[in-house]
Amino acid sequence: MDKSLFIARYRLNEHYKNLENWDEKVQDYLEQHAKYLNTLGQEGSLIFAGRTLLGVDDANLFGISVFQYSSKEGLNEILKKDPVILYNIQSVEVFPFSMGIQFFKNWATY
């Protein structure tokens, strides 16, 4: 089966742009989110993921994940099971992506 590249852009839902609304449950869901993405990486769907290093109240805060998957619709179904989406902490939008230039061999661990 052919696979295509997609970028998933995660954004905090409005309620969580205020740290006063964060509790242990939110932190737990974020940890589950990281584990979920890690599992997708181990299964071969996730290429990499990360986020901007901005505060939760910054409008430019977002996370991205790059996936290799058979279809946008199929990826959307997988992402609906991500704990941060399931529990409405973040929203996610999926976009088709084309790798233009890559230098992965030159990347250091950050």
Side-chain angles (χ1 to χ4, degrees), residues 39-93:
T39 298
L40 294 176
Q42 290 174 348
E43 293 172 353
S45 297
L46 177 69
I47 297 172
F48 70 88
R51 72 187 254 327
T52 55
L53 295 176
L54 303 170
V56 298
D57 59 342
D58 191 310
N60 294 307
L61 174 67
F62 65 93
I64 62 165
S65 299
V66 176
F67 291 92
Q68 186 173 340
Y69 213 78
S70 56
S71 70
K72 181 179 176 181
E73 296 77 19
L75 180 56
N76 276 320
E77 288 302 311
I78 295 297
L79 295 180
K80 284 181 186 178
K81 299 174 187 172
D82 185 331
V84 294
I85 304 305
L86 195 59
Y87 296 104
N88 204 32
I89 295 166
Q90 296 181 15
S91 61
V92 65
E93 294 177 279

Side-chain angles (χ1 to χ4, degrees), residues 29-45:
Y29 292 143
L30 289 170
E31 287 176 24
Q32 290 178 38
H33 163 68
K35 290 176 183 176
Y36 188 75
L37 290 179
N38 190 58
T39 298
L40 294 176
Q42 290 174 348
E43 293 172 353
S45 297

